[in-house]
Amino acid sequence: MADHCSNTFAELATELGFSCEEAGGLVEFRSPFALENWTLPVLELTIVAGAILALWYAIVRLRRHGDPTNLVLWFGATAYLFVIEPPLYFPAAFGIEEHVDTMFAHNVFTVDFLWGRLPLYIIAIYPLMATMAFGIVRMLGIFRRYGVLIGATCVGFVHHAFYEIFDHLGPQLRWWEWSVDNPINQPMFDSVPMGSVVVFAALWPMSLAFCVQYFVGRHVDDGRHFSGIELTWRTVVIGLLASVGTFVLPLPATVIGMSNTTVRGVVYALELAVLAVVAGVVLVRQWSQLRRDTEAAPQYTDPFVQRFSALYLAVFAFLWIASLPAFFDAVDGQTSNGDPIGNLWYTAACFAIAIASVLATFTVPRPQPTPDSPASATSEVSS
């Protein structure tokens, strides 16, 4: 599909080690041993396996216990992906090339779609990350106690921690390459655009979680059952409205920082700070309350999220440790191979938040099962 090889994408592809003109068709398979480096198949296996397991667990909850929330979240995140990503890969095909140039290029992985633009693991990472963040917040009972908006804010905060661990490592290991000359990607936070740090790491999952909980989750918590048709149209609406939310939530930074990237970065940082303060206070307060009042145990537990979140953090800790020698040898923010490095201190803070969030779900009282209750249903799944 050489006619869609814009100059920017072709340059990024060359820097990553593959040719845009030779990238395969709608789907292409490669040997995992023929990729850029050994970290690519490790990343791919971790994320794809996690997404498949998340889908399986979501189906189990729906079929056995009539709880479709996880399934709607999984497909809602996937629907969001297919609304947001294709225009970023092919701006010319969508008639927006005069406004949006190529922002980034993914490296090629074992399984790729859309002429080398969309690795399978990127499709998988949207529902997996959303499932982990949403599950942690739901297990802590925050939606029930604080409502849809605050619960969604906490999801955005937790998702941000998990995502930035990945986001600040990818450029160094050539999982993708950002177009640093693209004004949309400015300002940069070391190797990551502030737009990615705030919008894709925090605001889009906040938007998705709000829609999922508003249209499905809160009704399920109240004991309502949905038909297949109801779930289908609600999932489509969730994917579309979450996309709108991703446009609306960053508007302060978009509008105020329209002519000045420094101002845009400051407003982005302020938005993230507000989200972090609100979510941080609520998460700590709710955890403390649950520890003091055993009768206030949340009515939901998710063994998949607990176990896989721990595995995710272990894998990424290993990948980060393996990358540290090149990180510390970097000069002027670039390794000897010319790859940009992320921010280690920020990543360490995100690791601390993510680990604390997972541990919190293990240290609060478990729900007391009663016949036909959500807690009882979850206990059956976990056993």
Side-chain angles (χ1 to χ4, degrees):
M1 203 173 187
D3 56 323
H4 284 300
C5 286
S6 67
N7 292 334
T8 304
F9 184 84
E11 291 172 5
L12 295 174
T14 300
E15 292 174 7
L16 288 170
F18 70 98
S19 169
C20 176
E21 286 79 6
E22 297 175 1
L26 287 175
V27 60
E28 185 175 14
F29 300 92
R30 295 176 182 81
S31 167
F33 302 104
L35 304 182
E36 176 70 24
N37 59 64
W38 64 268
T39 67
L40 276 72
V42 171
L43 169 71
E44 189 174 35
L45 177 62
T46 301
I47 300 302
V48 173
I52 292 172
L53 290 172
L55 177 60
W56 170 82
Y57 184 77
I59 293 171
V60 167
R61 283 199 58 82
L62 175 61
R63 294 184 62 180
R64 293 186 183 177
H65 315 299
D67 180 2
T69 309
N70 284 23
L71 193 62
V72 170
L73 177 72
W74 201 99
F75 281 105
T78 307
Y80 171 88
L81 156 75
F82 286 109
V83 171
I84 292 294
E85 296 267 341
L88 300 180
Y89 299 145
F90 305 108
F94 287 85
I96 58 174
E97 71 275 14
E98 294 183 2
H99 309 285
V100 179
D101 189 14
T102 300
M103 296 174 60
F104 58 86
H106 295 292
N107 210 329
V108 288
F109 284 76
T110 306
V111 184
D112 281 305
F113 300 95
L114 301 179
W115 293 268
R117 268 50 168 206
L118 181 61
L120 175 61
Y121 95 90
I122 289 295
I123 298 176
I125 203 168
Y126 276 77
L128 174 62
M129 289 278 199
T131 297
M132 291 192 297
F134 192 94
I136 288 171
V137 171
R138 192 180 181 194
M139 275 187 282
L140 294 175
I142 291 173
F143 282 113
R144 280 185 173 273
R145 183 176 179 187
Y146 290 95
V148 177
L149 180 58
I150 296 299
T153 303
C154 291
V155 172
F157 177 67
V158 174
H159 186 285
H160 175 84
F162 278 89
Y163 191 85
E164 286 308 292
I165 292 168
F166 154 83
D167 209 16
H168 278 266
L169 183 60
Q172 179 184 338
L173 298 181
R174 297 196 175 185
W175 297 345
W176 64 83
E177 179 114 0
W178 290 102
S179 175
V180 295
D181 295 327
N182 190 327
I184 297 177
N185 287 337
Q186 295 297 325
M188 299 286 291
F189 178 28
D190 291 335
S191 65
V192 186
M194 279 298 293
S196 179
V197 172
V198 178
V199 180
F200 283 99
L203 298 185
W204 95 256
M206 176 182 172
S207 177
L208 176 71
F210 180 90
C211 294
V212 169
Q213 186 65 14
Y214 183 83
F215 284 101
V216 176
R218 65 192 180 107
H219 302 295
V220 171
D221 290 341
D222 291 337
R224 179 176 172 181
H225 295 276
F226 292 95
S227 67
I229 294 177
E230 286 180 304
L231 289 177
T232 299
W233 74 256
R234 285 172 185 266
T235 302
V236 172
V237 168
I238 285 167
L240 294 174
L241 289 184
S243 305
V244 174
T246 306
F247 170 77
V248 172
L249 291 175
L251 272 180
T254 303
V255 174
I256 298 174
M258 189 173 297
S259 59
N260 190 304
T261 57
T262 301
V263 172
R264 185 190 309 160
V266 170
V267 179
Y268 269 142
L270 290 174
E271 284 193 76
L272 182 60
V274 171
L275 181 146
V277 169
V278 172
V281 169
V282 169
L283 284 163
V284 171
R285 181 178 296 175
Q286 177 70 351
W287 178 78
S288 300
Q289 175 66 26
L290 292 174
R291 294 279 292 172
R292 291 194 305 268
D293 183 5
T294 57
E295 295 183 359
Q299 299 301 305
Y300 175 82
T301 188
D302 191 327
F304 163 75
V305 165
Q306 290 176 305
R307 295 164 188 169
F308 195 86
S309 295
L311 176 63
Y312 171 94
L313 293 171
V315 170
F316 273 86
F318 171 71
L319 291 171
W320 262 102
I321 290 170
S323 72
L324 286 179
F327 180 96
F328 287 123
D329 288 340
V331 177
D332 295 328
Q334 290 194 326
T335 67
S336 59
N337 292 327
D339 301 312
I341 59 174
N343 189 294
L344 182 61
W345 296 110
Y346 195 79
T347 302
C350 289
F351 260 114
I353 293 168
I355 292 170
S357 299
V358 176
L359 289 177
T361 68
F362 284 101
T363 56
V364 297
R366 291 188 177 274
Q368 298 299 317
T370 58
D372 301 322
S373 70
S376 177
T378 307
S379 299
E380 292 178 27
V381 175
S382 62
S383 62

